[in-house]
Amino acid sequence: MSMHQALNRMGINIEESEGEDLFPTARIKNDPFKINVETFVNKNLSPESIAQMHQYEIDMMKKNINNFKDGVDVFKNFQRVDIFNLVPCAKNWAYFNLPNNAQFVTLMNSIEQVGVLQPLILLHDNDEDEKYEILIGQSRYLALKALYENSNNDEKFRFAPAFILSRQEVGEYFLRAMILDSNFSYRYIDQTVLIQAIIERHTIMQKSKMYRSQSNIAEALANEFLMSRSTVFNYLSLEKLCDEVMVLLLEKRIKLQSARYLARVNHQTQRMILEKYGIENINIIHRIKYLTTNNARSDEQLQQSINVANTLVPFTTNLTITINKDLLGDYMKLNADFKLDAMRNYESKFQRNNSDYYFKVNVNDAEMKFYLEQDYVDANTLGKVKAKNFAELKNYK
């Protein structure tokens, strides 16, 4: 009998928790969050049961050490397992969020079209029990179950491809490490790889004729790649790049923002800008923006635009200032006066009723409240600094 079965027969519920509790639970006395804790103690354990549990703990520790030392052949036992024999593992092992509704639909569509490409990993007791615990693949299991029920019990969705691990051979720590590694992405995904993946997936979706519009495709891509639709559209705009610019982008020689501006003009103009303005200047963002706004149709027109672009400076720039607390009050007063002067001189010029367009001061509100409390700066001055127009300035003396 395994410890898993022994605990069940002792009346201890393992569905919510199993094995060692690896997370702290202690709270300070004045913590406003309260939790009800129920402790289950079985006082009727015999000396033999206590000895059995102690020996089990020793054996389990040895097993864990050997698993990490010698490794585990996860892939040696492959089977197709009936989904109705699958059960989730304990919640304190698999506590990661399941996909949202949109992501789940995407997963179902993928399995319906091409099948389960990545087998589940299950845990079994190697006894008469037909149930298998799902270590890795809970979402795939749920998708298969939903497809089976929604397809009038189509048998192709009933059996999940899976690798089976033996509870007698693999220890708790190794199993939990596997679950962590499968759910937590610790690798940085290179942006150029992401661009390629999104564009390739977009092409496949278009060719499949499954989606009625670009908007539907963008929605599906946003759900699949866990990003906003606006970000997806920004990446998809790169499909308009000529081959020469795309190569430079994938080689990381052109910044993404420059590539997006170049994608606004036709391929001929993109090549003209590369050749006449030079690859070495292609990442001067404010000048590339100007060149692609003025869509030159000839070498002469482009050269005229280049002459103008070379005189341009960035419209705004950022300054980071660190200041001592004793100088803060006087500095904030200077900022308040400067903002008032900027509004008077530039609001009519730029036709903007928002001073952030030409002068903006970012204030650390979390720290500023302490300076306000101790009179290093007054609320009236701070209000002027944060005001965006004359209407807001009228609220302060």
Side-chain angles (χ1 to χ4, degrees):
M1 179 189 302
S2 71
M3 188 61 170
H4 189 262
Q5 294 171 313
L7 290 173
N8 273 328
R9 295 182 183 182
M10 290 178 205
I12 300 176
N13 185 356
I14 61 148
E15 294 182 1
E16 294 292 326
S17 179
E18 179 180 356
E20 185 178 351
D21 192 349
L22 301 180
F23 296 95
T25 58
R27 296 180 183 276
I28 58 175
K29 293 181 180 180
N30 61 347
D31 188 343
F33 181 83
K34 302 297 181 185
I35 185 170
N36 294 324
V37 179
E38 297 182 29
T39 303
F40 297 91
V41 179
N42 193 324
K43 299 180 179 180
N44 298 319
L45 293 179
S46 65
E48 291 78 9
S49 296
I50 294 175
Q52 180 184 5
M53 293 178 66
H54 181 63
Q55 184 59 48
Y56 174 85
E57 292 175 356
I58 295 175
D59 294 340
M60 183 60 71
M61 183 59 68
K62 292 180 180 178
K63 187 190 304 182
N64 281 314
I65 293 173
N66 290 333
N67 288 160
F68 285 105
K69 179 182 178 182
D70 302 329
V72 174
D73 187 355
V74 177
F75 311 113
K76 71 177 180 179
N77 184 6
F78 176 82
Q79 299 180 31
R80 293 189 178 274
V81 182
D82 191 327
I83 59 174
F84 293 100
N85 289 334
L86 302 183
V87 294
C89 67
K91 289 185 179 180
N92 68 320
W93 286 24
Y95 49 82
F96 294 90
N97 294 333
L98 292 173
N100 60 36
N101 289 339
Q103 295 162 1
F104 186 68
V105 170
T106 300
L107 175 61
M108 287 179 60
N109 289 338
S110 175
I111 292 177
E112 186 175 25
Q113 293 173 45
V114 298
V116 179
L117 298 179
Q118 187 174 5
L120 287 69
I121 298 182
L122 309 176
L123 185 64
H124 193 241
D125 269 337
N126 290 354
D127 54 23
E128 69 279 2
D129 189 1
E130 294 183 354
K131 298 298 181 182
Y132 296 78
E133 290 183 51
I134 304 170
L135 296 173
I136 299 171
Q138 175 78 2
S139 299
R140 279 161 276 166
Y141 154 70
L142 294 173
L144 282 170
K145 191 173 181 181
L147 286 166
Y148 180 81
E149 294 171 351
N150 294 333
S151 63
N152 295 320
N153 302 340
D154 191 332
E155 288 294 306
K156 72 179 182 181
F157 300 121
R158 179 163 181 172
F159 296 91
F163 297 109
I164 314 300
L165 296 179
S166 166
R167 188 181 289 276
Q168 283 70 30
E169 297 177 5
V170 188
E172 173 189 352
Y173 296 159
F174 190 90
L175 296 173
R176 295 176 75 161
M178 284 179 51
I179 295 173
L180 280 172
D181 286 348
S182 69
N183 284 278
F184 183 69
S185 177
Y186 53 86
R187 294 175 295 175
Y188 169 73
I189 299 177
D190 188 89
Q191 188 177 52
T192 56
V193 174
L194 184 60
I195 291 170
Q196 288 177 282
I198 290 176
I199 291 177
E200 182 178 16
R201 184 64 171 158
H202 179 240
T203 303
I204 293 171
M205 286 180 170
Q206 284 182 314
K207 292 180 180 296
S208 69
K209 307 295 184 182
M210 291 180 56
Y211 298 88
R212 295 181 181 180
S213 67
Q214 278 290 104
S215 180
N216 290 338
I217 294 178
E219 185 71 33
L221 287 170
N223 293 328
E224 181 174 349
F225 288 92
L226 303 181
M227 58 180 60
S228 67
R229 284 181 51 177
S230 60
T231 302
V232 168
F233 278 120
N234 283 337
Y235 283 132
L236 292 182
S237 69
L238 301 174
E239 290 181 312
K240 298 178 181 179
L241 293 174
C242 67
D243 292 346
E244 293 86 346
V245 178
M246 180 62 77
V247 167
L248 292 173
L249 176 64
L250 297 181
E251 291 177 349
K252 302 178 183 178
R253 297 165 64 191
I254 289 184
K255 293 179 181 178
L256 178 60
Q257 191 173 358
S258 289
R260 285 178 53 203
Y261 283 134
L262 286 167
R264 296 177 177 181
V265 297
N266 60 43
H267 286 186
Q268 179 184 354
T269 304
Q270 291 177 35
R271 294 187 181 99
M272 287 171 56
I273 291 174
L274 277 178
E275 292 172 2
K276 293 190 70 67
Y277 199 49
I279 296 175
E280 67 277 7
N281 297 317
I282 211 66
N283 288 318
I284 305 176
I285 304 297
H286 65 283
R287 293 178 179 174
I288 292 299
K289 180 180 179 180
Y290 175 81
L291 292 176
T292 53
T293 301
N294 293 270
N295 196 354
R297 298 184 179 181
S298 66
D299 287 350
E300 183 179 352
Q301 290 178 336
L302 178 59
Q303 188 58 56
Q304 292 175 352
S305 295
I306 289 174
N307 293 338
V308 175
N310 286 336
T311 67
L312 300 178
V313 298
F315 184 70
T316 61
T317 189
N318 296 321
L319 302 175
T320 300
I321 297 174
T322 302
I323 193 164
N324 182 279
K325 59 183 176 61
D326 296 316
L327 298 174
L328 179 63
D330 291 337
Y331 178 74
M332 294 298 278
K333 289 178 181 178
L334 289 174
N335 267 321
D337 292 339
F338 188 85
K339 171 160 281 193
L340 177 60
D341 185 64
M343 286 182 182
R344 287 172 176 164
N345 289 283
Y346 288 91
E347 188 167 302
S348 58
K349 176 180 179 180
F350 292 113
Q351 298 297 308
R352 298 268 183 155
N353 190 28
N354 187 334
S355 63
D356 287 352
Y357 183 68
Y358 41 87
F359 179 68
K360 180 179 180 181
V361 177
N362 290 317
V363 175
N364 187 327
D365 291 321
E367 293 182 355
M368 196 58 61
K369 67 177 183 179
F370 300 113
Y371 295 118
L372 287 167
E373 289 173 357
Q374 301 301 319
D375 295 327
Y376 283 93
V377 64
D378 63 81
N380 191 65
T381 300
L382 180 61
K384 290 180 180 179
V385 171
K386 299 176 72 171
K388 298 181 183 298
N389 50 54
F390 282 115
E392 292 183 14
L393 275 176
K394 290 179 181 179
N395 296 324
Y396 305 99
K397 297 179 180 180

